[in-house]
Amino acid sequence: MCGPPAGATAASMVTAVGGGVTLAFHQLRARRNNDCPAPDAPAGVVSVTISGVQVGGTAPLTLCVPRPDLLRGARQIGVELELIDMSAVVDACSYRLALPIAATGAVTATGVCDDGRAPAGFGLDFDVQAAVERTCGQTRDTLQMTLTGLVPVVPSDS
């Protein structure tokens, strides 16, 4: 069955929690941008970029799926999905993914049809750990954050 599960509603969010901070992202959209093509992808399979924004802001959460034809069940971050960007601003501090420190964990996809292009969309359930660099004025540190949440993803042509 195509579409996100019942628990993934428009009000659902991905939350990143760690170091006493919570970052929240929503409005995830899937686009066939071919930003991270897999060399072993069959002809016609185009990589998909999934992006959302910080709740109450515009900072991004971005993933790339090299093989959307395999986007079913649990997919490993760093192997089958790439966490490309995560940025946020909270209480005059900025947060960004601490690269090149690799994120770990998995994202579970449900209801994916037509390589993520079906109008019904699909659902993603996050269980990911990532290092995030926090900058507050002149002070910088790195937080270990856990991203969780069951969210809908809608297809987009733009």
Side-chain angles (χ1 to χ4, degrees):
M1 185 164 127
C2 301
T9 67
S12 299
M13 298 177 277
V14 176
T15 58
V17 178
V21 176
T22 299
L23 311 176
F25 301 89
H26 65 157
Q27 299 176 346
L28 275 68
R29 298 192 170 279
R31 294 174 180 85
R32 292 172 36 108
N33 291 352
N34 208 28
D35 291 336
C36 61
D40 65 340
V45 173
V46 176
S47 67
V48 171
T49 301
I50 298 171
S51 57
V53 294
Q54 181 184 4
V55 173
T58 59
L61 171 68
T62 308
L63 298 105
C64 201
V65 184
R67 294 281 309 268
D69 58 318
L70 302 177
L71 188 59
R72 311 264 185 296
R75 303 284 102 192
Q76 274 189 298
I77 288 289
V79 177
E80 299 158 310
L81 283 165
E82 300 172 27
L83 180 57
I84 303 294
D85 192 10
M86 183 173 73
S87 302
V89 176
V90 176
D91 297 331
C93 294
S94 63
Y95 299 83
R96 68 183 179 119
L97 197 58
L99 297 175
I101 301 170
T104 60
V107 176
T108 301
T110 56
V112 180
C113 294
D114 195 20
D115 296 345
R117 294 177 296 187
F122 56 95
L124 291 179
D125 193 359
F126 286 75
D127 183 11
V128 174
Q129 296 73 46
V132 175
E133 183 180 278
R134 172 175 52 188
T135 304
C136 299
Q138 299 300 315
T139 304
R140 283 189 183 173
D141 62 353
T142 301
L143 307 175
Q144 293 301 316
M145 302 191 93
T146 299
L147 287 75
T148 58
L150 174 61
V151 294
V153 179
V154 298
S156 176
D157 292 327
S158 61

